[in-house]
């Protein structure tokens, strides 16, 4: 067997070990870190399975943003989780049954990795062989994501917006405390070196985000990934320089608007093609030459996705830290 | 013999079940969310495994390459990852509010307080 | 010959990843875990880079770059948590 | 020319792999946090550097790949020491004391007994 | 423009939601949402007419023909459920402005309306789409919006209920995702119509069986079928009143639709009901749900909780209906889908009015309240009568068809059990009547006024509908019949 097989097996083994370790440890902080590792490993696995775009997203969203969000909740949490008072045998039974059913299901699965599987036969070949003529982008994942199945992606952008609305509705209030903290000394004052390094790094990160946004047609990348990277840069800034400083640079009100604007851009592209007499999200209608239309459509749509994702991630992080940064007023420890 | 080649799927199933078990067996609300994210990530691995073609490469068209892996599962999972983070964020927001109003993030404690209130 | 040198490196990185992840499992202190994660992140970056060459599509290095970046940001997030816990201890 | 480049790659990659493994063994085997940190440093600086250098000899005229490799290297060399420094500082603040001289030996003996 | 109706149905509320974030002012946002939902209702009426005249509509999103692109496929069943969802959303939204002034802080009201619109768009999207994965995406839109809506409740238990629902709902959605993935693995397609044609070829495989099991269990989690219903009572009881009304009237209906669509259209009756023991399982669970939930409902003090348990019982009836596997049974399910939405909409809206005045919906605080709030109480009584299934109300129509279906299949003991279930409903409705009409007015309630007009009017709109559709059954029965036949037609 090949080296790829080896990598595959080792990664899957490590994933299983990590999952068990998460189950075993009672230290919540360690569990969160291990979940980060789990994401990291699964993203590596995605690369081995040729899913570079997915790996990109999992790295940015799963290992990055998700872990950061979990961590920002930590101040609330007791470090150790309580041992559960009653044993739950029922859970074990349910899981065993479900697992047995799944294993039973694998018995008739088409062989792993074979070209003759039904999954490789019916719908997918058209994407691989004709998308170049129909959409005109080398990255097939982007073509399918933004054009063939563009409506899914629209729905997904709305999901993100919904989450943002939900977090705001749940945590976005209690303004008085936030204002009270306006003039306090920001967190992480004492980490001079980190702050200087980060100051140095934030501009390249932002440039990288733009590169990912607009290079998504040709390589791995696109709106989600770019949005997440952009948000990560802002989050880095917020963590080091404090929420109140960050709020002055990136005003909350505008970010709220941007979250809505991203979805509206996406929808507007769809409606524009409807007004031009075609179906919703049919980018052919956007220009005289269908291929140009597809390019314009995908560019705009990815932009909308990027804006919403970045804005919502920032909103969520702001809201969490606004709620939880009880130490924002700590004096620096010399 | 052909069953043995499904090793990939088998391990994925085990991963899924570990995640699922964490969700239902732990009483800590944050831990439950962690379990949920592991469960979902494992399902993503299942999808991506389906799309793999032996000897294929990433579905970014280039000259001189004939065999590509299936791009459709990748697209679906991109969507699902974003759905996953959305759920996690909302779940965490709920946990924050629960801990503020109940003073605990353990299922047992909360259930007890609710029973007393009733 | 070109292929095999990447394979050898891949195996080496995998072995060192297993060692590092063991440290992350064992702990004992949180700092050890954070350290292990930091190292693991670096190794992941390297593995992606090498895998890109191994599979003959080195243009996917963007992902490695992203990893390096995310790794750094996560570490800062972890540091921030230490800050919380320290101030909490002082309050007590 | 290619043979020379390949040779350089081989040397760099093998040396890099060696340092990676050595660093990881140290990470696992060393007795306390600060010595482990030292081992981790080997991985981040020498291991990563050599492997990335080894890859750079193989870019084969794709300058964009070279540029990306260089930026990764730049990134790692910039962030890794910074975060190690911050981590060490945090650990010291939290009463993690390095083991000194006899302590190491004592602990080893305790472990053996 | 008529050909664009299927997509307009969904994107109208979807696009209106982000616009709310720009409008901001709660009162304006309410009017704007109301306008949107009125338009949505108009579109769904037009769609139903179009479908009844021209047959199934297919709309290719992005201009890519299915199965490569996503398809919206509207047949009589979708059109029927679309109408139901948009109608009930509109009526509930009418009452929203008055009701939430008491229950939701002003600065959160904009978010409430956004979540409401998104939830509605999610439901409409699930119903309209003809693509299996698209179902998952819209399921999550509606689910996330639902968690938010429930958590807006003023009681802290609302948070806990929302969290529990989030965990259960996400497990359900992940199960559905696994099911869809395995189906895709076996056929290579995601389009429902295409799946229906390709699944028979792999019908005997163990993988497809697993896919089917996961999908059905996932949907049953979402629709709170009997042993999986634990999240529902708390969620309905502690959510803001208006949200309870909205969810009780629409959420489970959409899940039932999904179940019907996959059992009948995608997997086919032959595979789902005849090959597998599913028929027996569903029948048993449906009946168990009817009895267990009704009995628990009898002991509830909180009226919202009581009606929540009654919802679980009514879901049992719907499941029972189509598990007969006959056209009449399916018609009973579809009729009950619509009728139950009308009843529970009316009941929960009336409770919203009571909550507005009393700040509580506990039964022991309502003694003799009929003297102070005659219209609200009368609404609950009529809704309750409908729930029991007394002639001249909608409840009777669906029970009638259910009994017919049972007799038709020769399961006459089941017909008796259905009637026995109605008796249990009589018990819990009677408890309410007894407290409210026959007990003396308590001191605390002597100054209480009738519910505000803003809530009372929509409530009575639904009450009248309850009676009207109970007498003039032509429209609902006609559509249900066509829809039931179309489901069986597509299955063969």
């Amino acid at each position: 067997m090949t080296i790829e097989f080896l990598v595959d097996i080792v990664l899957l083994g490590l994933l299983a070990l990590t999952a068990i370790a998460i189950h075993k440890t009672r230290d919540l902080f360690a569990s969160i870190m291990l979940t980060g590792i789990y994401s990291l490993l699964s993203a590596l696995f995605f690369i081995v399975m040729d899913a570079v775009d997915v790996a990109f997203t999992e790295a940015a969203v799963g290992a990055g943003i998700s872990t950061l969000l979990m961590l920002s909740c930590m101040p609330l949490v007791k470090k150790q989780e309580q041992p559960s008072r009653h044993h739950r045998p029922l859970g074990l039974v349910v899981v065993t049954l479900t697992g047995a059913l799944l294993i039973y299901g694998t018995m008739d699965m088409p062989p792993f990795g074979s070209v003759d599987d039904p999954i490789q036969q019916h719908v997918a070949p058209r994407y691989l062989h004709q998308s170049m003529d129909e959409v005109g982008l080398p990255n097939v994942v982007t073509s399918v994501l933004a054009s063939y199945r563009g409506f899914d992606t629209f729905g997904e952008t709305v999901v993100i917006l919904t989450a943002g609305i939900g977090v705001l509705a749940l945590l976005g209030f209690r303004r008085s405390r936030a204002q009270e903290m306006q003039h306090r000394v920001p967190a992480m004052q004492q980490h001079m070196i980190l702050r200087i390094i980060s100051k140095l790094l934030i501009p390249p990160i932002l440039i990288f985000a733009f590169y990912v946004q607009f290079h998504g047609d040709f390589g791995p990348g696109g709106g989600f990934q770019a949005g997440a990277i952009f948000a990560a840069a802002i989050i880095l800034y917020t963590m080091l320089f404090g929420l109140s400083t960050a709020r002055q640079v990136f005003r909350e009100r505008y970010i709220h608007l941007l979250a809505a604007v991203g979805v509206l851009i996406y929808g507007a592209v769809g409606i524009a093609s409807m007004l031009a007499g075609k179906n919703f999200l049919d980018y052919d209608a956007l220009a005289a030459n269908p291929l140009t239309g597809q390019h314009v459509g995908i560019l705009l749509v990815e932009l909308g996705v990027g804006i919403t994702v970045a804005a919502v991630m920032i909103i969520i992080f702001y809201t969490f830290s606004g709620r939880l940064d009880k130490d924002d007023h700590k004096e620096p420890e010399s | 013999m052909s069953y043995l080649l499904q090793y990939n799927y088998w391990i994925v199933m085990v991963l899924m079940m570990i995640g699922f078990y964490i969700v239902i067996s732990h009483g800590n609300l944050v831990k439950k969310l962690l379990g949920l994210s592991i469960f979902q990530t494992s399902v993503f691995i299942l999808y991506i495994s389906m799309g793999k073609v032996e000897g294929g490469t990433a579905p970014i068209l280039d000259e001189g390459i004939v065999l590509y892996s299936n791009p459709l599962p990748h697209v679906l999972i991109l969507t699902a990852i974003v759905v996953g983070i959305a759920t996690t964020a909302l779940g965490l927001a709920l946990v924050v509010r629960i801990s503020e109003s109940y003073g605990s993030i353990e299922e047992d404690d909360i259930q007890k307080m609710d029973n007393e209130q009733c | 010959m070109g292929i095999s040198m990447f394979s050898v490196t891949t195996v080496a990185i995998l072995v060192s990843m297993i060692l590092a992840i063991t440290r992350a499992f064992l702990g004992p202190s949180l700092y050890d875990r954070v350290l292990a994660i930091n190292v693991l992140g670096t190794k992941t970056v390297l593995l992606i880079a090498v895998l890109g060459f191994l599979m003959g599509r080195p243009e996917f290095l963007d992902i490695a770059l992203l990893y390096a970046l995310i790794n750094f940001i996560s570490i800062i997030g972890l540091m921030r948590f230490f800050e919380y816990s320290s101030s909490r201890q002082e309050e007590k | 020319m290619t043979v020379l480049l390949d040779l350089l790659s081989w040397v760099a990659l093998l040396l890099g792999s060696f340092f990676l493994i050595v660093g990881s063994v140290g990470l696992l085997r060393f007795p306390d946090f600060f010595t482990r940190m030292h081992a981790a440093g080997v991985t981040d600086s020498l291991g990563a550097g050599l492997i990335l250098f080894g890859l750079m000899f193989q870019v084969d005229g794709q300058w964009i790949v070279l540029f990306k490799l260089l930026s990764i290297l730049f990134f790692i060399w910039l962030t890794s020491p910074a975060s190690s420094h911050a981590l060490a500082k945090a650990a010291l603040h939290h009463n993690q004391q390095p083991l000194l001289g006899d302590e190491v030996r004592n602990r080893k003996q305790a472990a053996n007994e | 423009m008529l050909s664009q109706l299927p997509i307009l149905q969904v994107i109208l509320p979807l696009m209106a939601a982000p616009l709310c974030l720009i409008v901001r002012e709660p009162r304006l946002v309410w009017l704007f949402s109301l306008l949107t939902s009125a338009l949505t209702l108009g579109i769904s009426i037009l769609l139903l007419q179009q479908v009844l005249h021209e047959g199934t509509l297919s709309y290719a999103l992005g201009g890519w023909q299915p199965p490569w692109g996503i398809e919206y496929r509207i047949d009589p069943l979708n059109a029927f459920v679309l109408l139901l969802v948009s109608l009930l959303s509109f009526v509930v939204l009418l009452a929203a402005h008055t009701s939430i002034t008491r229950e939701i802080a002003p600065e959160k009201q904009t978010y409430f309306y956004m979540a409401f619109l998104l939830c509605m768009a999610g439901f409409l999207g699930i119903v309209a789409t003809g693509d299996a994965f698209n179902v998952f995406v819209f399921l999550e839109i509606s689910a996330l919006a639902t968690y938010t809506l429930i958590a807006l409740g003023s009681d802290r238990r609302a948070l806990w209920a929302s969290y529990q629902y989030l965990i259960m709902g996400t497990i359900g959605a992940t199960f559905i995702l696994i099911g869809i993935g395995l189906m895709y693995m076996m056929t290579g397609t995601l389009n429902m119509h295409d799946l229906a044609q390709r699944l028979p070829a792999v019908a005997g495989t163990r993988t497809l069986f697993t896919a089917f099991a996961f999908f059905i269990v996932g949907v049953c989690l979402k629709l709170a079928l009997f042993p999986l219903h634990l999240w529902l009572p708390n969620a309905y009881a502690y959510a803001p009143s208006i949200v309870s009304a909205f969810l009780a009237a629409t959420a489970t209906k959409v899940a039932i639709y999904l179940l019907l669509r996959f059992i009948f259209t995608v997997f086919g009756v032959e595979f789902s009901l005849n090959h597998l023991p599913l028929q027996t399982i569903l029948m048993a669970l449906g009946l168990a749900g009817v009895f267990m939930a009704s009995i628990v409902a009898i002991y509830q003090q909180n009226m919202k909780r009581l009606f929540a348990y009654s919802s679980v019982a009514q879901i049992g009836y719907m499941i029972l209906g189509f598990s007969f596997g006959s056209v009449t049974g399916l018609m009973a399910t579809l009729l009950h889908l619509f009728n139950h939405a009308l009843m529970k909409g009316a009941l929960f809206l009336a409770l919203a009015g009571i909550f507005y005045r009393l700040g509580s919906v506990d039964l022991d605080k309502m003694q003799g309240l009929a003297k102070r709030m005659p219209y609200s109480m009368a609404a609950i009584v009529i809704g309750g009568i409908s729930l029991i299934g007394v002639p001249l109300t909608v409840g009777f129509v669906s029970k009638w068809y259910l009994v017919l279906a049972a007799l038709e299949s020769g399961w006459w003991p089941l017909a008796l059990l259905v009637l026995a279930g109605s008796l249990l409903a009589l018990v819990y409705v009677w408890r309410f009547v007894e407290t409210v009409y026959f007990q003396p007015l308590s001191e605390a309630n002597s100054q209480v006024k009738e519910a505000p007009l803003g809530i009372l009017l929509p409530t009575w709109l639904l009450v009248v509908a309850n009676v009207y559709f109970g007498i003039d059954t032509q429209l609902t029965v006609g559509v249900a019949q066509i829809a039931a036949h179309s489901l069986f037609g597509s299955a063969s």
Side-chain angles (χ1 to χ4, degrees):
Chain A
M1 281 281 185
T2 57
I3 183 81
E4 282 174 39
F5 171 75
L6 182 75
V7 178
D8 182 300
I9 283 290
V10 170
L11 285 179
L12 282 173
L14 288 181
L15 278 168
L17 284 178
T18 314
I20 292 171
I22 294 171
H23 172 59
K24 287 281 174 205
T25 176
R26 295 241 157 254
D27 186 337
L28 277 175
F29 186 67
S31 330
I32 293 177
M33 286 196 286
L34 288 173
T35 313
I37 294 188
Y38 191 84
S39 266
L40 202 78
L41 290 171
S42 63
L44 260 177
F45 183 78
F46 293 151
I47 295 183
V48 181
M49 292 283 127
D50 300 332
V52 278
D53 274 283
V54 182
F56 217 117
T57 315
E58 180 67 33
V61 172
I65 306 264
S66 178
T67 312
L68 287 175
L69 286 184
M70 297 266 185
L71 283 174
S72 64
C73 282
M74 282 307 283
L76 284 175
V77 173
K78 292 193 191 67
K79 268 187 65 184
Q80 299 281 321
E81 72 179 292
Q82 267 173 26
S84 188
R85 259 164 237 156
H86 43 277
H87 203 57
R88 294 185 168 93
L90 185 67
L92 200 60
V93 173
V94 170
V95 169
T96 317
L97 279 181
T98 327
L101 182 63
L102 277 172
I103 299 286
Y104 175 75
T106 58
M107 299 295 181
D108 282 332
M109 274 186 191
F112 171 68
S114 159
V115 200
D116 304 321
D117 290 354
I119 196 172
Q120 319 292 2
Q121 297 297 332
H122 182 44
V123 174
R126 166 154 170 187
Y127 298 143
L128 289 172
H129 300 134
Q130 288 172 37
S131 70
M132 207 57 187
D133 305 324
E134 291 176 340
V135 183
L137 299 180
N139 188 349
V140 186
V141 174
T142 303
S143 311
V144 180
L145 185 84
S147 188
Y148 289 101
R149 295 186 69 88
F151 192 62
D152 265 355
T153 312
F154 184 43
E156 174 186 3
T157 319
V158 177
V159 169
I160 279 289
L161 180 72
T162 314
I165 300 300
V167 171
L168 276 177
L170 285 171
L171 299 178
F173 300 95
R174 214 167 61 171
R175 288 252 179 260
S176 53
R177 252 189 61 84
Q179 271 158 8
E180 180 193 318
M181 300 196 309
Q182 274 297 303
H183 303 290
R184 297 254 155 85
V185 185
M188 299 193 96
Q189 183 82 26
Q190 70 270 42
H191 288 295
M192 208 49 183
I193 293 182
L194 282 186
R195 295 177 69 165
I196 290 169
I197 297 280
S198 306
K199 248 185 199 165
L200 217 70
L201 284 178
I202 287 174
I205 297 178
L206 292 180
I207 293 173
F208 183 55
F210 281 112
Y211 164 79
V212 172
Q213 170 83 48
F214 295 109
H215 190 255
D217 301 356
F218 310 100
F224 291 117
Q225 294 91 333
I229 297 173
F230 195 91
I234 310 292
I235 289 175
L236 178 63
Y237 184 82
T238 314
M239 286 194 299
L240 285 165
F241 297 88
L243 185 61
S244 27
T245 323
R247 274 205 176 121
Q248 278 160 14
V249 183
F250 307 96
R251 298 224 168 249
E252 254 179 320
R253 174 89 182 106
Y254 298 129
I255 300 179
H256 290 192
L257 281 184
L258 278 179
V261 164
V263 174
L264 289 175
I265 290 179
Y266 206 132
V269 172
I271 288 176
S273 44
M274 270 162 84
L275 291 179
K278 296 266 192 148
N279 280 357
F280 188 69
L281 291 176
D282 190 341
Y283 311 134
D284 287 358
L286 296 179
N289 179 355
L291 275 187
T292 323
Q294 291 284 347
H295 274 294
V296 174
I298 290 177
L299 192 76
L300 287 173
V301 158
E302 291 269 16
L303 196 65
V305 175
I307 291 175
T308 296
V309 170
V312 171
M313 298 292 169
I314 296 170
I315 288 176
I316 293 176
F317 191 79
Y318 270 17
T319 320
F320 273 95
S321 10
R323 195 77 170 194
L324 304 169
D325 273 7
K326 301 201 169 92
D327 304 318
D328 241 17
H329 59 278
K330 283 292 297 174
E331 287 299 320
E333 307 158 64
S334 69
Chain B
M1 183 57 208
S2 68
Y3 292 160
L4 279 181
L5 290 175
Q6 309 290 54
Y7 66 90
N8 205 321
Y9 293 132
W10 285 1
I11 302 180
V12 175
M13 304 294 164
V14 172
L15 291 179
M16 273 154 66
M17 285 311 110
I18 298 175
F20 189 33
Y21 186 63
I22 294 176
V23 183
I24 49 183
S25 71
H26 284 258
N28 186 293
L29 305 193
V30 175
K31 192 80 170 227
K32 267 179 189 293
L33 287 177
L34 290 180
L36 214 51
S37 102
I38 292 194
F39 186 27
Q40 287 180 321
T41 310
S42 315
V43 178
F44 303 162
I45 297 180
L46 171 72
Y47 267 73
I48 297 299
S49 303
M50 284 184 220
K52 169 75 181 167
V53 175
E54 202 74 52
T57 174
I60 294 175
L61 304 178
D62 209 342
E63 279 164 35
I65 300 175
V66 242
L67 207 52
Y68 296 98
S69 284
N70 190 341
L72 189 49
H74 303 179
V75 175
L76 305 182
I77 291 317
L78 274 178
T79 309
I81 288 179
V82 176
V83 170
I85 174 87
T87 314
T88 308
L90 198 59
L92 283 175
L94 279 170
V95 172
V96 170
R97 283 287 302 276
I98 288 176
S99 113
E100 282 173 0
S101 46
Y102 283 87
S104 168
I105 55 159
E106 296 288 339
E107 195 177 12
D108 295 339
D109 295 349
I110 295 168
Q111 214 95 47
K112 215 170 79 191
M113 278 184 241
D114 271 359
N115 291 341
E116 280 162 13
Q117 199 174 344
C118 277
Chain C
M1 158 150 163
I3 299 294
S4 65
M5 90 180 129
F6 299 129
S7 322
V8 169
T9 320
T10 307
V11 174
I13 297 177
L14 279 180
V15 170
S16 67
M17 273 178 84
I18 294 173
L19 294 174
I21 217 168
T22 317
R23 178 47 71 200
F25 289 159
L26 292 179
S29 74
L30 282 181
Y31 308 99
D32 290 295
R33 290 184 203 261
V34 177
L35 184 67
I37 285 185
N38 196 4
V39 172
L40 201 66
T42 312
K43 281 168 186 162
T44 313
V45 173
L46 296 178
L47 185 61
I48 296 172
V50 176
L51 275 180
F53 281 86
L54 183 75
M55 293 166 151
R57 306 203 71 177
E59 62 265 35
F60 302 147
L61 277 174
D62 298 353
I63 308 175
L65 194 55
L66 173 73
Y67 260 73
L69 187 154
I70 288 293
N71 198 24
F72 178 63
I73 298 182
S74 314
I75 297 294
I76 303 236
L78 295 170
M79 297 314 240
R80 217 166 72 110
F81 169 71
F82 289 141
E83 224 115 294
Y84 285 131
S85 52
S86 77
S87 61
R88 205 195 280 170
Q89 275 170 3
E90 279 161 31
E91 276 161 31
K92 283 169 195 166
Chain D
M1 188 62 192
T2 20
V3 178
L4 182 67
L5 280 181
D6 272 357
L7 200 69
L8 278 174
S9 284
W10 262 111
V11 172
L13 286 177
L14 281 183
L15 262 179
S17 306
F18 171 73
F19 281 119
L20 270 189
I21 292 184
V22 164
S24 305
V25 170
L27 183 68
L28 197 60
R29 296 280 298 145
F30 277 165
D32 77 333
F33 172 72
F34 294 93
T35 41
R36 283 175 202 143
M37 186 162 240
H38 159 69
V42 174
T43 325
D44 281 352
S45 49
L46 266 180
L50 280 170
I51 286 185
L52 288 174
F53 271 126
L55 292 179
M56 279 178 214
F57 295 123
Q58 294 292 322
V59 288
D60 211 14
Q62 287 173 283
W63 297 115
I64 181 81
V65 175
L66 184 64
F67 174 73
K68 282 176 189 170
L69 283 171
L70 276 173
S71 27
I72 293 172
L73 190 62
F74 170 75
F75 215 100
I76 289 182
W77 277 357
L78 199 61
T79 59
S80 173
S83 41
S84 300
H85 159 82
L87 188 60
K89 199 170 163 185
L92 262 180
H93 270 300
H94 287 247
N95 305 324
Q96 284 268 331
Q97 293 300 330
L99 294 176
L100 299 171
D102 289 343
E103 285 174 75
V104 184
R105 211 173 306 129
N106 294 344
R107 188 178 283 196
K108 240 179 207 160
Q109 275 168 2
N112 287 341
E113 284 157 14
Chain E
M1 210 56 193
L2 273 183
S3 63
Q4 305 277 12
L5 281 182
I7 188 65
L8 280 175
Q9 176 85 79
V10 178
I11 55 163
L12 204 65
L14 216 52
M15 297 281 287
L19 282 174
C20 291
L21 203 54
I22 296 172
V23 178
R24 286 250 150 188
E25 176 56 37
R27 203 182 161 75
L28 288 179
V29 171
W30 174 60
L31 286 173
F32 180 65
S33 319
L34 202 60
L35 178 72
T36 313
S37 93
L39 285 174
T40 318
L41 177 61
I43 293 174
S44 69
I45 294 173
L46 286 177
L47 259 182
L48 183 63
Q49 278 180 344
Q50 214 177 342
V51 170
L52 290 180
H53 284 292
E54 296 165 25
T56 306
L57 305 173
S58 168
Y59 184 92
L61 280 152
W64 302 108
Q65 72 268 47
W68 291 277
I70 293 168
E71 179 195 23
Y72 265 21
R73 200 177 174 83
I74 315 283
D75 65 6
L77 176 62
N78 306 38
F80 181 61
V81 182
L82 286 176
L83 177 65
L84 186 160
V85 172
S86 50
L87 176 70
L88 267 301
S89 313
F90 174 69
V91 177
V92 169
L93 207 48
L94 272 178
H97 184 66
T98 319
S99 173
I100 64 169
T101 45
R102 280 292 161 92
E103 293 181 50
I104 298 175
E107 68 268 22
K108 292 188 183 179
Q109 288 179 359
T110 307
Y111 299 130
F112 165 81
Y113 290 116
M114 288 182 72
F116 191 98
L117 284 176
L118 287 168
C119 192
M120 176 174 141
F123 289 148
L124 293 171
I126 297 171
V127 177
T129 189
D131 188 278
F133 194 80
N134 203 235
V135 168
F136 170 74
V137 175
F138 277 82
L139 201 67
E140 285 295 326
I141 295 180
S142 64
L144 289 178
T146 311
Y147 309 145
T148 311
L149 287 173
I150 293 173
L152 284 174
S154 42
D155 196 307
R156 70 175 179 181
R157 280 171 290 185
L159 298 169
W160 178 231
S162 172
Y163 179 86
Q164 280 178 313
Y165 185 24
L166 182 133
I167 295 289
M168 294 298 259
T170 311
I171 292 178
T174 312
F175 271 34
I176 292 177
L177 194 62
I178 296 174
I180 294 173
L182 294 179
M183 271 186 255
Y184 173 53
M185 187 185 224
M186 298 309 287
T187 58
T189 181
L190 288 166
N191 184 280
M192 292 185 197
H193 194 61
D194 204 24
L195 273 172
Q197 283 166 354
R198 296 176 147 259
L199 281 177
V202 289
T205 56
R206 285 167 279 196
T207 311
L208 191 66
F209 171 74
T210 309
F212 182 72
F214 269 89
F215 192 91
I216 299 294
V217 172
V219 177
C220 286
L221 259 171
K222 286 268 176 192
L223 71 76
L225 180 63
F226 166 60
L228 307 173
H229 68 282
L230 293 169
W231 58 266
L232 186 139
N234 280 333
Y236 283 13
Y238 303 119
S241 309
I242 209 75
V243 175
S244 310
F246 175 58
L247 293 180
T250 54
T252 47
K253 314 296 172 291
V254 171
I256 295 246
Y257 159 80
L258 202 56
L259 197 62
L260 291 178
R261 175 61 73 201
F262 271 81
I263 284 186
F264 285 91
T265 309
V266 175
F267 288 100
V269 192
E270 193 55 34
F271 177 83
S272 345
L273 292 183
N274 297 354
H275 268 317
L276 300 172
L278 187 69
Q279 183 168 22
T280 333
I281 294 175
L282 283 181
M283 217 174 257
L285 291 181
L287 273 178
V290 169
F291 283 96
M292 303 302 278
S294 300
I295 290 169
V296 178
I298 292 172
Y299 293 99
Q300 297 304 317
Q301 275 303 316
N302 182 324
M303 286 301 284
K304 274 161 90 177
R305 217 179 155 81
L306 189 156
F307 285 129
Y309 273 107
S310 142
S311 279
V312 177
Q314 304 296 319
I315 290 162
Y317 285 121
M318 294 177 214
I319 298 290
L320 193 61
F322 75 84
S323 66
F324 290 121
S326 67
V327 176
T328 323
L330 190 54
M331 271 175 69
T333 300
L334 294 178
L335 282 170
H336 204 48
L337 212 66
F338 187 77
N339 298 342
H340 181 243
L342 291 182
M343 298 174 212
K344 280 286 149 65
L347 287 170
F348 275 105
L349 277 184
L351 287 180
I354 295 172
F355 195 92
Y356 184 87
R357 289 300 183 206
L358 292 188
S360 151
V361 287
D362 281 347
L363 198 53
D364 46 14
K365 289 192 183 139
M366 291 189 199
Q367 287 156 349
L369 212 56
K371 298 181 187 70
R372 311 297 316 174
M373 307 178 77
Y375 294 108
S376 302
M377 295 304 158
I380 296 189
V381 170
I382 298 179
I385 288 176
S386 188
L387 209 55
I388 300 166
V390 175
L392 296 186
T393 56
V394 283
F396 175 69
V397 184
S398 30
K399 290 267 168 69
W400 174 253
Y401 276 92
L402 200 58
V403 171
L404 265 189
L407 294 178
E408 203 177 71
S409 326
W411 301 73
W412 62 267
L414 279 184
L416 288 183
L417 286 176
V418 169
L419 295 178
S422 301
L423 283 181
L424 288 175
L426 180 62
V427 176
Y428 57 72
V429 174
W430 176 252
R431 272 187 70 216
F432 172 79
V433 172
E434 204 262 340
T435 314
V436 174
Y437 281 89
F438 297 113
Q439 287 189 3
L441 184 64
S442 65
E443 270 304 303
N445 291 343
S446 56
Q447 296 306 314
V448 174
K449 289 201 211 92
E450 179 57 84
L453 220 54
I455 302 179
L456 208 55
L457 273 183
T459 312
W460 272 89
L461 208 63
L462 288 178
V463 171
V464 170
N466 259 305
V467 178
Y468 176 79
F469 287 111
I471 298 169
D472 177 13
T473 56
Q474 206 182 0
L475 184 68
T476 44
V477 174
V479 175
Q481 197 165 21
I482 296 171
H485 275 294
S486 82
L487 269 190
F488 272 94
S490 62
S492 60

